[in-house]
Amino acid sequence: MEAEIDEDIRRINELRLVHKARARIISYNAMSMQQPGRWEDVQKFLGDNDIIGISGTRTKAKPGQSYTVRKMKNHEVIEWGYEKGRPHTNPSCGVAIMLGKKKFPRESWRTIFNPIKSMSGRMGAVRIKTRDADICLIVFYAPIEPENDNERKTSRKCYAELEKFIMNLPHRCVPIIMTDANARVGLD
């Protein structure tokens, strides 16, 4: 009887941990973050979210840097730019993750992952560990829905890289994918 009560208390405590680990998450295709004041606008209008996955930033990678970190008032931004001449990227690429400073301070960032070179500007990820959670936030800017063999090949390679990345995460780490899947819906 006592063992059953201990087990019930353990389960209740686990549920409390899950409850404490809540975060507000949103994915957003910005179409461009190059205009002056654009980052501040995103923070102003979407800033009540703890995690903001942004695709389509149109940011070029800085030479020798896979990502950059930018400090803002209530968020920190990890940004992965595209590199010219890479097979699966184009000038509309570029991704970023905005993390609320209160919920996800830098001390909780365990690893910032860099995509393989051919995926620069299409994907970025950060693993976060807190007392309550072990998550990997992945921002993924999918290629357009394929219309020909070349586009199908590119699309398959991008999704294969995403799947490979997720499969290599530790089992206890929960992947959260924020994406603009670039799907076409409706009739032609």
Side-chain angles (χ1 to χ4, degrees), residues 3-184:
E4 289 175 18
I5 292 172
D6 288 343
E7 181 64 19
D8 288 343
I9 290 171
R10 187 189 63 75
R11 285 189 189 134
I12 289 168
N13 286 333
E14 282 178 9
L15 289 173
R16 284 185 185 149
L17 286 177
V18 170
H19 176 74
K20 285 182 186 178
R22 286 189 182 174
R24 293 176 57 123
I25 303 170
I26 189 168
S27 183
Y28 173 63
N29 184 337
M31 303 289 199
S32 180
M33 293 297 283
Q34 300 310 302
Q35 303 88 347
R38 187 79 165 111
W39 286 103
E40 289 75 16
D41 288 345
V42 169
Q43 183 171 263
K44 179 180 176 183
F45 293 108
L46 302 176
D48 59 339
N49 294 286
D50 302 305
I51 302 166
I52 304 168
I54 303 173
S55 58
T57 64
R58 295 182 179 252
T59 303
K60 288 182 187 175
K62 293 186 173 140
Q65 287 185 298
S66 299
Y67 65 89
T68 57
V69 178
R70 162 194 321 245
K71 291 183 179 184
M72 299 185 73
K73 182 179 177 184
N74 299 316
H75 291 81
E76 288 203 63
V77 181
I78 307 166
E79 187 173 15
W80 295 266
Y82 72 91
E83 293 181 39
K84 267 188 164 178
R86 297 292 177 192
H88 308 308
T89 64
N90 60 50
S92 66
C93 290
V95 294
I97 298 175
M98 290 180 77
L99 297 168
K101 289 180 181 179
K102 284 184 182 177
K103 186 88 67 164
F104 301 105
R106 261 201 203 201
E107 302 81 53
S108 67
W109 304 4
R110 289 299 176 257
T111 310
I112 297 174
F113 296 97
N114 298 314
I116 62 169
K117 292 286 185 188
S118 64
M119 292 286 288
S120 69
R122 288 256 179 223
M123 188 171 116
V126 61
R127 184 172 176 202
I128 295 177
K129 285 181 81 172
T130 66
R131 190 175 63 92
D132 302 326
D134 183 355
I135 59 176
C136 185
L137 303 170
I138 305 164
V139 62
F140 180 66
Y141 191 37
I144 60 171
E145 187 173 319
E147 292 183 346
N148 58 47
D149 287 341
N150 191 34
E151 288 178 0
R152 271 188 280 287
K153 196 163 139 185
T154 296
S155 183
R156 277 195 297 267
K157 284 181 181 178
C158 288
Y159 281 103
E161 283 301 322
L162 176 63
E163 183 178 1
K164 182 178 168 185
F165 177 80
I166 293 168
M167 297 307 287
N168 286 320
L169 289 172
H171 293 292
R172 68 187 169 280
C173 183
V174 177
I176 298 173
I177 303 169
M178 300 167 286
T179 186
D180 175 3
N182 277 319
R184 292 187 182 102

